[in-house]
Amino acid sequence: MTDRAEREAIIQRFMDERGLKSTRQRHLILETFFDLDGHFSVEQLWAKVRAHNPRVSVATVYRTMKLLAESGLAHAQNFGDGQTRYEPAIGREHHDHLICTRCGAIIEFENDRIEQLQDAVAKKHGFKVSSHKMELYGLCRSCQKAGAGA
Amino acid sequence: MTDRAEREAIIQRFMDERGLKSTRQRHLILETFFDLDGHFSVEQLWAKVRAHNPRVSVATVYRTMKLLAESGLAHAQNFGDGQTRYEPAIGREHHDHLICTRCGAIIEFENDRIEQLQDAVAKKHGFKVSSHKMELYGLCRSCQKAGAGA
DNA sequence: CTGCGTGCAAAAACTTTGCAACAAT
DNA sequence: ATTGTTGCAAAGTTTTTGCACGCAG
């Protein structure tokens, strides 16, 4: 998605703006995270990080992702299972999710018209919106077929 | 919202359909829950239930709310703090939420046009949607003012 | 050097579950 | 009687935190 140089710049800015030290662990976690495409729990991310450096603790991953999310470079999602999932929020358009309640498949979509209407609604209520989430739950195409048979 | 008789009928149907026994505790929890207006954590609901009957355990509240949500009579929400919140889902139109990230205020709204567009998006992806969530995060009117000063 | 960051393990927060007593049908 | 339900406490999950050591600036 994002090219390496741009990503580096973003990571650097993130560190600078918050006065964070640039450590081996943070870089590894961020690189790993931004290489991913999709929605990952800390546990999953940790597994990938450990493949590179088994000594990184899960606490560091939690701490780093929390900082990232606060800075807006990652979005925290909550799809109903008890875990927080993060997804990269740079170099991509905002998007929303269709979630299959049977197989867990997650499909992303975006719709400008909806975004416009959201802004209008917010304005009507005097809100200044900084982010939003929209999730549609249901059955994906193949689960509708499978579900009928099962 | 719902009048007492209708509510009783709904609760009764809920019990019948799932073959649940009609216990003192379940009734108390359900009555208490449906009297509420808003989004409540199990902890909060439990506190209100205990006011009536201090012997009800929190486990029963968890179990009951889980059943209710599965039956579609309550909606489970996740607003980012680590707790599940439930809100009554009978006698009301579907609605979505504006959430103030500063003071935590929750404003409800509904917008048919958005719902229509959601359906259209789902259809395009072959999805059969059964429910959805939409949350807009930002600053409410008073926090925008307060925020500027702080 | 100085202080932030890390790893580890303990703790916290929330939710689920095993089991024996209990109540609804 | 029979079977589902409850309360309690223990255990499970996910996430946070205290503390001593270590590394970046």
Side-chain angles (χ1 to χ4, degrees):
Chain A
M1 318 262 101
T2 337
D3 72 56
R4 207 132 201 107
E6 187 193 340
R7 173 194 298 185
E8 274 309 315
I10 290 172
I11 291 178
Q12 200 51 58
R13 202 180 318 136
F14 160 66
M15 305 274 203
D16 291 349
E17 279 175 3
R18 306 190 55 120
L20 300 174
K21 288 185 177 172
S22 149
T23 67
R24 212 177 280 287
Q25 291 91 326
R26 287 219 256 250
H27 262 96
L28 174 55
I29 293 167
L30 296 182
E31 298 287 346
T32 306
F33 176 65
F34 285 122
D35 266 341
L36 294 175
D37 193 21
H39 318 77
F40 292 83
S41 65
V42 169
E43 197 70 24
Q44 293 173 316
L45 179 54
W46 187 37
K48 295 190 187 297
V49 167
R50 290 180 103 172
H52 277 269
N53 179 350
R55 313 178 60 180
V56 175
S57 87
V58 72
T60 300
V61 181
Y62 272 107
R63 291 190 267 235
T64 303
M65 292 314 295
K66 191 161 209 178
L67 290 171
L68 245 205
E70 284 168 2
S71 295
L73 298 181
H75 286 146
Q77 305 276 355
N78 242 125
F79 294 142
D81 56 355
Q83 295 181 284
T84 300
R85 283 162 200 288
Y86 290 96
E87 68 174 350
I90 59 177
R92 336 187 40 196
E93 286 299 312
H94 170 78
H95 60 267
D96 296 294
H97 301 97
L98 277 159
I99 300 156
C100 181
T101 50
R102 188 169 181 279
C103 71
I106 298 175
I107 296 177
E108 302 179 349
F109 69 90
E110 48 185 292
N111 185 306
D112 291 339
R113 194 80 193 80
I114 291 180
E115 313 264 316
Q116 288 166 19
L117 288 169
Q118 289 176 339
D119 288 343
V121 167
K123 182 175 271 182
K124 195 169 77 182
H125 289 276
F127 248 74
K128 180 169 201 140
V129 171
S130 52
S131 71
H132 73 256
K133 288 178 192 170
M134 183 166 130
E135 292 144 33
L136 310 184
Y137 295 87
L139 293 177
C140 70
R141 209 181 320 251
S142 43
C143 284
Q144 287 172 52
K145 292 174 196 158
Chain B
M1 316 262 98
T2 338
D3 71 55
R4 206 135 201 103
E6 186 193 340
R7 174 195 297 183
E8 273 310 314
I10 290 172
I11 291 179
Q12 200 50 57
R13 200 180 319 136
F14 161 64
M15 305 274 203
D16 291 350
E17 280 175 3
R18 304 187 58 117
L20 300 174
K21 289 185 178 170
S22 151
T23 68
R24 215 176 279 288
Q25 291 89 328
R26 288 219 256 249
H27 263 96
L28 174 55
I29 293 166
L30 297 182
E31 298 289 346
T32 306
F33 176 64
F34 286 122
D35 265 341
L36 295 174
D37 193 22
H39 318 77
F40 291 83
S41 66
V42 168
E43 197 71 21
Q44 293 173 315
L45 180 54
W46 187 37
K48 294 190 189 297
V49 167
R50 291 180 104 172
H52 277 270
N53 180 350
R55 312 178 61 180
V56 175
S57 88
V58 71
T60 301
V61 181
Y62 272 107
R63 292 191 267 234
T64 303
M65 292 314 296
K66 192 162 207 175
L67 290 171
L68 247 204
E70 283 168 1
S71 295
L73 298 181
H75 287 146
Q77 306 275 355
N78 242 126
F79 294 143
D81 55 356
Q83 294 178 282
T84 300
R85 282 161 201 286
Y86 290 96
E87 68 175 349
I90 59 177
R92 338 187 38 196
E93 287 296 314
H94 170 79
H95 60 268
D96 296 296
H97 301 97
L98 276 158
I99 299 156
C100 180
T101 51
R102 188 167 180 280
C103 71
I106 299 175
I107 296 176
E108 301 180 350
F109 69 90
E110 49 185 291
N111 185 305
D112 292 338
R113 194 79 194 80
I114 291 180
E115 312 266 315
Q116 289 166 19
L117 288 169
Q118 288 176 340
D119 288 343
V121 167
K123 181 176 271 181
K124 195 169 79 183
H125 288 276
F127 248 73
K128 179 170 203 139
V129 171
S130 52
S131 70
H132 72 256
K133 288 178 192 170
M134 184 165 130
E135 292 144 32
L136 310 185
Y137 295 86
L139 292 177
C140 70
R141 209 181 320 251
S142 44
C143 284
Q144 286 173 51
K145 293 173 193 158

